[in-house]
Structures are given as structure tokens and as C-alpha cells.
Amino acid sequence: MNLGVEKYIPHLSLDCVVFGFENNELKVLISKFKFGEELWNFPGGYIGWEESIEEAAQRVLQNRTSLKNIYLEQFRVFGQKDRILNSPHRDFIRAKLIEQYNESDANWMMGRFVCVGFYALVDIAKVHPKVGKMDLKLEWRSLNDLPEMVHDHREILNYAIEAVRQDMNEKSLAKNLLPEHFTMKELMELYEAVFDKKFSMNNFQKKMLEQGKLERLEKKYTGASNKAPYLYRFLP
Amino acid sequence: MNLGVEKYIPHLSLDCVVFGFENNELKVLISKFKFGEELWNFPGGYIGWEESIEEAAQRVLQNRTSLKNIYLEQFRVFGQKDRILNSPHRDFIRAKLIEQYNESDANWMMGRFVCVGFYALVDIAKVHPKVGKMDLKLEWRSLNDLPEMVHDHREILNYAIEAVRQDMNEKSLAKNLLPEHFTMKELMELYEAVFDKKFSMNNFQKKMLEQGKLERLEKKYTGASNKAPYLYRFLP
């Protein structure tokens, strides 16, 4: 069986750290390797000769989440010489790929790869995870509950989190992780999850409103009480 | 004549936007194509099989500037399908490369390339520019005085400037562009060049000192006058 690797630029890959926000936790979408062992990775793939790297990332993500036009940003290139070649998982994966496919494709996939890291932000409620060719299953896991990750995928995650923190305000990332209408408390809980620290509501609300990116809606969260919180949305 | 392309990962390149600060202007190091026409580009190269992308960038920069361990950061990957293939300069360069080398190497170099962009920051006074294999000459040019750049190198520059602005405070980039000791006025002039706008000295000095990254030296710039300005340096 053939993997069709000739459709792709050799030695160049991409991995996507897909973030979602659920139950006050930041979660990432990870997949378990299909052919045995507890090997987990971020959804990834290769770049076709006829597509840009961004188009390739959208294709990979659409295949795994069923969503189109996902918000994503490239955040770093992982170009260490031995990131795959010296990985403790390389020989096992290569042997499985030879079993399932053929040696030439297995060597192609387990050779040197320079990897472009993307982070993606989604509304978890809208995602319908679909396994890829190499996946046994996909799971949403909170950052505190991650299994050992394959190759340098833990390092990739750490850089992705740093990039999200750095871009959080400037690129108004929150709007990709929250429903359209949200309370200030929900927004603060998202920030607390992203930055892994507590904020005080008064200061947080003041700083958010100063940025001038939020609109307060007339309608409140519930009509039941005078203390019902206001709803906000990001200005278009 | 052979270019030795088999030493490098195919379809993957890097370009370096080297910034320096001189006469109150931000300048970049650009090179003119050796084999005719007014074609200018940023110093670039390929990634050897035995080196990381950062090591490759250091090698390219050392060859062009004679400096080791240059401060550099990767800032973006340029992965459009046709960035070289549809470039208005492609056919001319390819023809010249066939003349000077051979068709197979020329096709290798003018095929599809995904390019990793690095910015580098140097003290211009320490740089001794050296031409590469494809360069007629290297020049420092201020951002207001740039010739037409090859392929998508103008876009690469624009992203590099954005990245430097974004990292300026967080990564204390100024220390790579100034001499070790500098006046607050010199620091402000650097910021004015980077952000292309004017600051007021009182506000600027207050904000810089608040960051707690500068040390004021006892020694003043000249002993001649009571108004001689203080010198500063970045804390280690």
C-alpha cells in the first residue's frame, strides 16, 4: 500500500496545536497513533506542491475538525536536525509504517523534517473530530492532563502557548474561543486559563474596556435578577 | 560548474533581514545580483542536511558580515506556491544561472521554495560585508532609500519590521543595535527610527526607566558641561 508521498514537498511538515475553551479550561486536540503504543501527537501533515503552507494547514484542520476557515497563525519553525531522526519513537513508528505501507514511504516519513508550527483557535462546540489516516482516535485534553507527546511535540505546545499569550490582546484572539456573546466573567475565565493565573475582576474589566474592542449589549444574561450580568461582544 | 546543491534540503530556503542603526536611521543590508540587471535581495541561503535552520542562518550571516553569533530571530515562513515560480525575475535569473552553472542546478534554485524569514540585529560599525557567490556587492541602505527588491523580498521586509516592533521591548532588542553605553536621546532616536514616529523625551524616558531594564552610569557623556547627559546601559 502506498501513502502518496509524491504529492508533497519532501522534508517539510506542519503541525497544528488546536486550542479550545471548555469548562473554564484551555484544551488541545490530540490524536493517538493508530498502530499500537501510547503515542500521541498534534494533528499534522505535509504541504502539497499546489498549495501554500496556510492552505495545507487549513486542509489538515478541516480533515480533523470538519470546520472550514479556521482561525490559525503560524508561530515558529522547528528545524533541529535530529528532531525526528533521534526521536525515541522513530524506530517503532518506522517499523509500523513499513508493515502497513512500504519501506520507501516509511523512510520518507521518518527522515529529516523541518516543521512549521501553527496554532488554531476553535469553538469546541462546533468541532466534529474525524480521525486521519494515522489516528486511532482524537481527544480534547486539558493542558494539565496531557499524555507524553511524540517527538518534540511538547516543545511545540510550549511555543504555541507562548505565541497565544503574546497575541491574545493585539489579535483579539478571545473572540475565536468564546461564543459570540459572553459575560465579562467568561472572558476573564478564558484569560485566566490562557495565562494560567488569577485576575481581579475590577482591574480586568477596566483594562478590557480601555482597549475599546468590546461592545456592551443592552440585553442581559438573564432577566431574573437585577444582578444579571451584562453581555458583551467583540466589535466587528 | 556545479553549485553543490546536493548539500542542502531541497525546496527550503532562508532569507535574513539584517538591521543596523546609523546616523539616526534604521538600515538594512542588501545585495545586488552578480550576473546583470538591477536585482537586489536580502542575504539568503539554504539549510544543510547537517545543520539546524538557526545554524544555517548563522552560517549565511557570518559569511556576509564576518560576525559570529549574531542576534537573530525567525519571524515568519513565506510559503506561497508561486513566490518564486511566478516572480517577474525568475526567467532572467534562471537563464543567467544556466549560463554560469548548469540547467539542473538552475532549476533546483528557481523551483518552489518555502522560505524561513529571519531578522538579525547588528552594530553596523562591527560589520565587514563580504559578497557571496551570487552577489556583485553588498550595501547598507536606509529604509527610505531601497531599490526594487527581487521576488517577495519587499513583503519579507515589511513582516521583519513588524516583528522587530513587536519584540522591541519584550526582547530588549535595542541593546543589539546600540553601543554598550548610550544616552537616553540615542535610545529614543533608535525607537523613533524603528517605529517611524516621534516620541516626547519626558514620556519616553519615564516609560523606559519604568521597565527596569536600564542602568544609569555614574560617568556622564562629557565632563565639559553641567548639562552633559547621563549614559545608560542595559542590565545584563
Side-chain angles (χ1 to χ4, degrees):
Chain A
M1 199 171 148
N2 196 297
L3 270 163
V5 295
E6 65 286 351
K7 283 185 295 185
Y8 304 104
I9 300 177
H11 306 292
L12 190 65
S13 62
L14 63 89
D15 284 310
C16 300
V17 182
V18 187
F19 290 100
F21 182 59
E22 192 179 53
N23 301 330
N24 289 347
E25 288 186 313
L26 203 59
K27 296 186 172 175
V28 288
L29 188 65
I30 60 175
S31 77
K32 190 174 173 185
F33 186 56
K34 190 173 184 173
F35 306 114
E37 293 263 338
E38 282 288 322
L39 290 181
W40 293 84
N41 59 70
F42 293 111
Y46 307 111
I47 293 99
W49 294 105
E50 297 302 322
E51 58 188 1
S52 70
I53 55 170
E54 281 78 15
E55 287 164 350
Q58 287 288 356
R59 172 180 52 75
V60 166
L61 286 176
Q62 190 179 335
N63 285 344
R64 298 304 204 296
T65 64
S66 314
L67 293 179
K68 288 185 185 180
N69 299 318
I70 288 182
Y71 182 88
L72 54 81
E73 298 275 353
Q74 41 161 286
F75 64 90
R76 189 175 181 82
V77 185
F78 299 86
Q80 288 303 313
K81 178 180 68 154
D82 294 329
R83 52 180 292 280
I84 305 295
L85 293 168
N86 269 358
S87 161
H89 312 110
R90 192 230 178 210
D91 290 345
F92 172 80
I93 298 175
R94 181 171 165 276
K96 289 290 172 187
L97 292 175
I98 291 175
E99 251 175 68
Q100 302 290 330
Y101 303 97
N102 60 64
E103 187 163 349
S104 143
D105 285 1
N107 287 341
W108 190 97
M109 287 185 69
M110 290 293 115
R112 176 160 182 192
F113 273 90
V114 171
C115 170
V116 184
F118 286 85
Y119 71 75
L121 307 177
V122 299
D123 180 346
I124 289 187
K126 293 185 181 157
V127 172
H128 303 284
K130 282 193 305 190
V131 293
K133 229 181 250 183
M134 302 285 159
D135 307 327
L136 181 67
K137 59 178 173 176
L138 289 161
E139 284 184 10
W140 284 106
R141 289 283 193 95
S142 89
L143 295 181
N144 309 321
D145 177 35
L146 283 177
E148 193 195 345
M149 302 295 292
V150 79
H151 308 324
D152 55 353
H153 282 210
R154 170 59 77 163
E155 185 192 359
I156 290 175
L157 172 64
N158 291 342
Y159 275 104
I161 294 169
E162 276 312 303
V164 167
R165 287 176 181 168
Q166 198 174 359
D167 296 344
M168 193 72 186
N169 283 317
E170 196 177 336
K171 298 192 167 136
S172 302
L173 297 187
K175 72 179 161 213
N176 304 292
L177 292 162
L178 290 173
E180 194 189 346
H181 299 163
F182 48 86
T183 64
M184 190 59 75
K185 182 159 174 285
E186 287 167 332
L187 182 62
M188 188 172 84
E189 285 164 349
L190 170 60
Y191 269 75
E192 290 180 339
V194 167
F195 289 93
D196 192 23
K197 66 179 182 187
K198 294 288 173 192
F199 294 95
S200 92
M201 179 50 94
N202 283 348
N203 269 337
F204 179 81
Q205 173 159 325
K206 183 163 167 283
K207 286 197 173 167
M208 283 298 123
L209 295 177
E210 274 172 6
Q211 293 178 22
K213 292 174 177 172
L214 294 176
E215 179 185 18
R216 197 178 82 177
L217 303 176
E218 286 310 307
K219 185 175 142 254
K220 294 187 183 183
Y221 189 58
T222 76
S225 147
N226 286 331
K227 291 196 171 177
Y230 280 102
L231 286 170
Y232 294 84
R233 70 171 171 192
F234 279 93
L235 288 165
Chain B
M1 198 171 150
N2 197 296
L3 270 164
V5 296
E6 65 285 351
K7 284 185 296 187
Y8 304 104
I9 301 177
H11 305 291
L12 190 65
S13 62
L14 63 89
D15 284 308
C16 300
V17 182
V18 187
F19 290 100
F21 182 59
E22 193 179 53
N23 300 331
N24 289 346
E25 288 186 313
L26 204 59
K27 296 186 174 176
V28 289
L29 188 65
I30 61 175
S31 77
K32 190 175 173 184
F33 186 55
K34 191 173 183 172
F35 306 115
E37 294 260 340
E38 281 288 322
L39 290 180
W40 294 84
N41 60 70
F42 293 110
Y46 307 111
I47 292 100
W49 293 104
E50 296 303 323
E51 56 187 2
S52 69
I53 55 169
E54 282 78 15
E55 287 163 351
Q58 287 288 355
R59 172 179 52 74
V60 165
L61 286 176
Q62 191 179 337
N63 286 344
R64 298 303 205 297
T65 64
S66 315
L67 294 179
K68 288 185 185 180
N69 298 319
I70 289 183
Y71 181 88
L72 54 82
E73 298 277 352
Q74 42 160 286
F75 63 89
R76 188 174 182 84
V77 186
F78 298 87
Q80 289 303 312
K81 178 180 66 153
D82 293 328
R83 53 179 292 279
I84 305 294
L85 293 169
N86 270 357
S87 161
H89 312 110
R90 191 231 179 209
D91 290 344
F92 173 80
I93 297 174
R94 182 171 166 274
K96 289 291 172 185
L97 292 175
I98 291 175
E99 250 175 67
Q100 302 289 331
Y101 303 98
N102 62 63
E103 187 162 349
S104 143
D105 285 0
N107 286 342
W108 190 98
M109 288 184 69
M110 290 292 114
R112 176 160 182 191
F113 273 90
V114 171
C115 170
V116 184
F118 285 86
Y119 71 76
L121 307 177
V122 299
D123 180 346
I124 288 187
K126 292 184 181 157
V127 172
H128 303 285
K130 281 193 306 191
V131 293
K133 229 181 251 184
M134 301 286 159
D135 307 328
L136 181 67
K137 58 178 174 177
L138 289 160
E139 283 184 12
W140 285 105
R141 289 282 193 95
S142 89
L143 296 181
N144 310 321
D145 178 35
L146 283 176
E148 194 196 343
M149 303 294 294
V150 80
H151 308 325
D152 55 354
H153 282 212
R154 170 59 77 162
E155 185 191 358
I156 290 175
L157 172 65
N158 291 342
Y159 275 105
I161 294 170
E162 276 312 304
V164 167
R165 287 176 181 167
Q166 198 173 357
D167 294 346
M168 192 73 186
N169 284 317
E170 196 177 336
K171 298 191 168 138
S172 302
L173 297 187
K175 72 179 161 213
N176 304 292
L177 292 162
L178 291 174
E180 193 189 348
H181 299 163
F182 48 85
T183 65
M184 191 58 77
K185 183 159 174 284
E186 286 168 334
L187 182 62
M188 188 173 85
E189 285 164 349
L190 170 61
Y191 268 75
E192 290 180 338
V194 167
F195 289 93
D196 193 23
K197 66 178 182 188
K198 294 288 171 190
F199 294 95
S200 92
M201 179 51 94
N202 283 349
N203 268 336
F204 179 81
Q205 173 159 327
K206 183 163 168 283
K207 286 197 173 166
M208 282 299 123
L209 295 177
E210 273 172 7
Q211 292 178 21
K213 292 175 178 172
L214 295 177
E215 179 185 18
R216 197 179 80 178
L217 303 177
E218 286 310 308
K219 183 174 140 257
K220 294 186 182 183
Y221 189 57
T222 75
S225 147
N226 285 331
K227 292 196 171 175
Y230 281 103
L231 286 170
Y232 293 85
R233 71 171 171 194
F234 279 93
L235 289 165

